[in-house]
Amino acid sequence: MASNSNGFEEFPKQVVILSIAADVARVVYQHREHGFLIDPSGWWNNQRIDLMLRDLSSANWFRKHFVSLGRMTVEAFIESFTELISQIQGVTNAHILVFNTLTIEPGNINHNYQFVKRPETLRRREFNFALVELSRKLNFWIVDIDKVLKQTRTKNMVDFAHFPVELYQPIGQEVYRILEELDIFKVPTQPASDSSRHKKLPPQKHQTQTLLESLQAQLDQKNQELEAQQLETLQAKADIGQYRESLQQVQIQTQIQIEQLQTQLQQTQAGLQQTQGELQQSQSQLHTSQTELVQLKSYLQQTQGVEGVMSYYRSRIASNPDNIQLYHQALTIKQDDAQIHLQLGNALVRQNRFCDAIATYQTALQFHPDNFEIHLELGKTLEKDQKWDEAIASYRHVIELNPDYAWSHKYLGDILAERGQINEASVCYRRFCNCKRGFLN
């Protein structure tokens, strides 16, 4: 074979057969120093696997000098495959056939990959789609392995790239069909006698045998790739050993952190015990203060009577008007004190406790039924609680007790106007104005 000016060896080529399986599945490695890229599968396949397993020096050497770049992207595949096809077409007139890949995973019952993150089947499908676009652009043939195997059945396949020998027959038939369509087996026209001119040409058994041998070689290549994968598995086990060592380091560091946290916990518990001691001391002081308060109340009651104690509570309430407990303590001394009831109800209203305030005013009216101030505050609170009829009744009672109090007429007029009783509301407003001017019609 002679070499042309481009350095390619020249020999007659009718068909060039390629496959994208390696680009889909293989990991690309880069030389750490010189930067060139390789697929190491060919190197593994040229070694005896039994020797490689006994002596991993070659694998260790490869690991030292090369770094993995991961698998090829679709974009990188399109770029590199375009260059490869263009170079082949530039130096030969041969037809180019390219094997695509099986998209599904044999034996996997999952056929909906919508929620699966980057499944392998989608990767293979993307590469097949890219191959279709390239075939239209660069004018080469695709051997549709995906379609052939799906039609034939993939039940006994190991994975998407390794399958039984019997499945090569339908693949071979598909290749043969394409080659027939390309007229690869067509015998050049020779001068013939009239007696032999219409005879059918003999089948091209030799070329078919050559094609089958090529397919068998591809099968051998797949088996060698499987052995290479086994070697990668051994390397993965070595990596697992390193990961275990890293895990032990993490466990040691975690134990140190746990001990530090335990020390901090002990310190916190000691601080908590000290705080509990201070709390007990404060409770003791509070008990002493409560005892002193009881003694003070007893002293006031003995020296100044009930009014002396009530004066003490009124002073406390004036300083703490929202302390509900003070009102209840005062009422235990004098439960009929109208002013304390009124102030308690007002404090409850400020806290939006309308039901409690209404109950307080109603209790006060049991002792002081004619106290118009309590009736007035009761009506205002009933109005805030949207109890309109009861509020109207309270305002009317206030007017009966004190008709000269102007604001009770206004409050009643507001509710009547809101309820659409305009005439009655107008009368209330007139009385409000008259009271403000100092006389009543």
Side-chain angles (χ1 to χ4, degrees):
M1 294 182 290
S3 297
N4 60 17
S5 59
N6 294 325
F8 290 95
E9 294 180 344
E10 294 182 342
F11 60 93
K13 307 177 184 67
Q14 288 182 288
V15 179
V16 175
I17 298 180
L18 304 173
S19 172
I20 69 169
D23 293 334
V24 175
R26 297 282 179 73
V27 174
V28 178
Y29 290 80
Q30 184 178 44
H31 195 276
R32 296 178 185 270
E33 180 180 356
H34 301 292
F36 60 83
L37 305 178
I38 68 166
D39 171 9
S41 175
W43 178 62
W44 302 128
N45 291 337
N46 291 330
Q47 312 298 320
R48 285 180 54 186
I49 190 64
D50 56 336
L51 296 178
M52 292 294 294
L53 293 178
R54 270 184 300 205
D55 181 8
L56 296 179
S57 59
S58 297
N60 291 331
W61 172 88
F62 183 83
R63 183 179 180 184
K64 177 181 178 182
H65 292 282
F66 288 86
V67 60
S68 171
L69 297 183
R71 291 188 295 177
M72 183 180 297
T73 64
V74 176
E75 293 74 15
F77 161 73
I78 293 174
E79 181 180 354
S80 63
F81 214 73
T82 299
E83 182 179 356
L84 174 62
I85 296 296
S86 299
Q87 288 192 15
I88 293 175
Q89 291 174 338
V91 298
T92 178
N93 291 325
H95 298 287
I96 300 175
L97 274 62
V98 182
F99 287 72
N100 67 6
T101 64
L102 179 64
T103 55
I104 63 171
E105 191 66 37
N108 186 357
I109 62 175
N110 182 17
H111 296 290
N112 185 355
Y113 308 104
Q114 180 178 1
F115 303 106
V116 181
K117 184 178 180 181
R118 298 299 303 162
E120 292 300 315
T121 52
L122 288 186
R123 173 179 171 83
R124 297 195 286 271
R125 192 166 297 171
E126 289 174 353
F127 273 75
N128 282 359
F129 287 155
L131 184 64
V132 172
E133 294 299 323
L134 285 176
S135 70
R136 294 170 179 170
K137 177 181 177 182
L138 302 176
N139 192 25
F140 59 83
W141 288 76
I142 296 177
V143 181
D144 197 348
I145 300 295
D146 187 38
K147 178 180 178 181
V148 172
L149 293 181
K150 287 178 180 177
Q151 291 177 341
T152 307
R153 290 184 68 188
T154 60
K155 179 178 180 182
N156 296 325
M157 289 183 61
V158 177
D159 55 32
F160 85 98
H162 300 88
F163 35 89
V165 176
E166 59 267 17
L167 291 182
Y168 278 101
Q169 182 176 358
I171 296 174
Q173 291 173 347
E174 175 65 12
V175 173
Y176 187 83
R177 182 192 65 78
I178 295 175
L179 295 179
E180 276 194 325
E181 190 170 341
L182 293 174
D183 291 333
I184 297 299
F185 305 133
K186 185 176 180 181
V187 176
T189 304
Q190 298 290 339
S193 62
D194 294 338
S195 60
S196 61
R197 187 179 303 274
H198 301 290
K199 289 185 178 180
K200 187 176 180 180
L201 295 175
Q204 307 300 313
K205 294 184 178 180
H206 177 69
Q207 293 185 3
T208 303
Q209 182 64 31
T210 301
L211 178 59
L212 292 177
E213 290 176 354
S214 174
L215 293 175
Q216 182 61 44
Q218 291 187 29
L219 176 60
D220 295 338
Q221 178 74 12
K222 295 295 183 180
N223 291 332
Q224 292 174 354
E225 290 175 4
L226 182 59
E227 293 177 352
Q229 291 176 0
Q230 292 174 345
L231 184 59
E232 290 178 0
T233 302
L234 293 176
Q235 182 62 49
K237 290 182 179 179
D239 292 339
I240 290 174
Q242 294 182 351
Y243 295 150
R244 286 177 177 173
E245 293 179 1
S246 300
L247 179 60
Q248 290 176 354
Q249 294 294 330
V250 172
Q251 289 175 337
I252 293 173
Q253 294 176 359
T254 303
Q255 183 62 33
I256 294 173
Q257 292 177 353
I258 291 174
E259 293 175 355
Q260 292 175 349
L261 290 174
Q262 287 176 342
T263 301
Q264 294 177 2
L265 178 61
Q266 292 174 355
Q267 294 174 351
T268 303
Q269 289 175 341
L272 179 60
Q273 291 177 354
Q274 181 178 357
T275 302
Q276 288 176 341
E278 295 174 353
L279 178 60
Q280 291 175 356
Q281 184 177 0
S282 299
Q283 290 175 341
S284 177
Q285 293 174 354
L286 177 61
H287 179 71
T288 301
S289 299
Q290 290 175 340
T291 303
E292 293 175 351
L293 178 60
V294 172
Q295 292 174 352
L296 174 61
K297 288 165 59 177
S298 176
Y299 172 77
L300 290 173
Q301 190 166 1
Q302 291 175 3
T303 57
Q304 301 180 21
V306 172
E307 286 303 321
V309 179
M310 293 302 294
S311 296
Y312 163 78
Y313 275 112
R314 289 190 180 94
S315 176
R316 292 285 307 280
I317 289 172
S319 301
N320 302 278
D322 292 324
N323 189 337
I324 304 302
Q325 189 65 28
L326 287 176
Y327 296 104
H328 288 296
Q329 291 175 359
L331 290 173
T332 59
I333 303 300
K334 189 178 180 182
Q335 63 177 351
D336 62 345
D337 192 301
Q339 190 63 25
I340 296 297
H341 277 291
L342 184 61
Q343 289 178 315
L344 173 58
N346 294 342
L348 292 169
V349 170
R350 288 195 298 273
Q351 298 178 10
N352 294 323
R353 297 167 58 182
F354 299 137
C355 291
D356 293 338
I358 291 170
T360 299
Y361 294 136
Q362 291 173 342
T363 301
L365 290 174
Q366 294 177 5
F367 299 104
H368 307 281
D370 296 330
N371 189 314
F372 91 97
E373 289 186 64
I374 298 176
H375 280 288
L376 179 64
E377 295 301 327
L378 174 60
K380 290 159 67 175
T381 306
L382 289 167
E383 183 179 354
K384 291 179 180 179
D385 203 28
Q386 299 183 359
K387 297 179 179 179
W388 314 115
D389 293 335
E390 297 178 46
I392 290 172
S394 292
Y395 287 141
R396 293 189 188 281
H397 201 68
V398 172
I399 292 172
E400 292 176 1
L401 294 173
N402 189 355
D404 295 332
Y405 183 70
W407 290 100
S408 60
H409 296 286
K410 181 184 182 303
Y411 295 148
L412 178 58
D414 289 342
I415 294 182
L416 293 174
E418 184 70 23
R419 293 167 65 87
Q421 299 171 245
I422 304 302
N423 294 333
E424 295 183 60
S426 178
V427 172
C428 291
Y429 288 140
R430 284 200 302 272
R431 289 180 178 177
F432 167 72
C433 293
N434 292 336
C435 289
K436 294 291 285 185
R437 286 197 294 266
F439 65 91
L440 178 63
N441 291 334

